[in-house]
Amino acid sequence: MRNRFTSQLEALNDGIIEMGALVEEAFAEATEALLYFNKEQAQRNIDNDKDIDQKMKDIETLCLRLLLSQQPVARDLRLISASLKMVSDLERIGDQCANISEIVLTLAQKSTNPAPIPVIPIMSTNISRMISQGIDAFVRKDLPLAKRVCDMDNIIDNAFIEAKKTLVESIRSNSAEADNVIDSFMIAKYLERIGDHAVNVAKWVVFAETGSREV
């Protein structure tokens, strides 16, 4: 019985790694579509979101099966519970990557580029690192790495504040561009939310190991 339980936990671990890889790819596709205004890449990212949704459902099914059939206790119970929460955050990252790609397509239909936001490359580079390191922290059970992911959220929050200032000034200087600026603000907001979900992933790693989400 324990051998079967162990193999199922390994399958859970593999499933989260696979979902993490899909989410990393989605974020890379979304940001590249945005930075290079690539309509085909944006559409591909939107279409691929269903794969992330399906992976989440598969992992949730496995977690529920483990909870109902194996009655895990202590650390195993924390791991399964944290995994259920973690995949929800990963799925939301996928959704928001698709949302960014939707905006790229909307702007393409208007034949206009997003209003420039100088901090977007800073946000995207650091968020990409947060997602990758959050998954690595889960795989390696690395609490210091999880904490570093959480600490990086300050960079994203400060960049988002700068983005808002830039966009407000854009509207003041050229009110005719208000619609375009609003689209760009939504992009910055989605990036900020993705950063928040990456932090949540790291905190669930901490919970799985310690029973507390405090870092």
Side-chain angles (χ1 to χ4, degrees), residues 166-183:
T166 298
L167 294 172
V168 167
E169 186 58 37
S170 294
I171 292 178
R172 284 175 178 164
S173 61
N174 186 1
S175 60
E177 288 292 310
D179 287 345
N180 195 17
V181 169
I182 290 171
D183 286 330

Side-chain angles (χ1 to χ4, degrees), residues 147-164:
K147 185 180 185 306
R148 289 199 293 275
V149 172
C150 295
D151 291 342
M152 290 172 67
D153 193 41
N154 288 331
I155 298 173
I156 307 305
D157 290 343
N158 290 335
F160 180 60
I161 291 170
E162 287 301 314
K164 286 193 291 185

Side-chain angles (χ1 to χ4, degrees), residues 16-205:
I16 290 178
I17 293 172
E18 291 166 6
M19 186 174 183
L22 289 173
V23 169
E24 287 186 68
E25 182 180 358
F27 185 75
E29 291 269 11
T31 52
E32 286 181 22
L34 171 64
L35 293 174
Y36 300 104
F37 211 50
N38 188 318
K39 295 182 290 183
E40 291 75 18
Q41 202 167 25
Q43 186 60 60
R44 183 167 63 247
N45 191 43
I46 293 166
D47 294 340
N48 289 343
D49 187 49
K50 65 181 184 301
D51 295 333
I52 295 174
D53 294 342
Q54 184 59 53
K55 181 59 70 174
M56 180 189 72
K57 291 175 184 176
D58 293 343
I59 294 172
E60 286 178 336
T61 298
L62 177 56
C63 286
L64 293 175
R65 186 180 301 125
L66 285 166
L67 290 171
L68 294 173
S69 64
Q70 302 292 345
Q71 298 180 334
V73 295
R75 187 181 180 283
D76 289 336
L77 179 59
R78 293 200 307 269
L79 173 62
I80 297 167
S81 300
S83 297
L84 275 170
K85 297 290 187 179
M86 191 183 302
V87 296
S88 177
D89 280 300
L90 289 173
E91 190 271 340
R92 290 299 298 141
I93 292 174
D95 285 346
Q96 283 150 6
C97 289
N99 288 339
I100 290 171
S101 294
E102 292 276 8
I103 292 177
V104 171
L105 292 183
T106 298
L107 290 169
Q109 290 174 349
K110 299 177 184 177
S111 298
T112 182
N113 288 315
I117 310 175
V119 295
I120 287 294
I122 295 172
M123 294 180 79
S124 61
T125 298
N126 282 281
I127 291 169
S128 177
R129 190 175 298 127
M130 290 168 73
I131 296 170
S132 176
Q133 292 182 354
I135 299 299
D136 285 346
F138 170 79
V139 174
R140 291 153 45 186
K141 301 177 177 56
D142 189 331
L143 297 184
L145 182 57
K147 185 180 185 306
R148 289 199 293 275
V149 172
C150 295
D151 291 342
M152 290 172 67
D153 193 41
N154 288 331
I155 298 173
I156 307 305
D157 290 343
N158 290 335
F160 180 60
I161 291 170
E162 287 301 314
K164 286 193 291 185
K165 291 178 181 177
T166 298
L167 294 172
V168 167
E169 186 58 37
S170 294
I171 292 178
R172 284 175 178 164
S173 61
N174 186 1
S175 60
E177 288 292 310
D179 287 345
N180 195 17
V181 169
I182 290 171
D183 286 330
S184 294
F185 173 78
M186 290 306 302
I187 289 169
K189 185 60 182 175
Y190 286 134
L191 288 172
E192 189 264 343
R193 287 177 179 173
I194 290 171
D196 288 342
H197 286 296
V199 168
N200 285 344
V201 168
K203 287 185 175 181
W204 289 121
V205 173

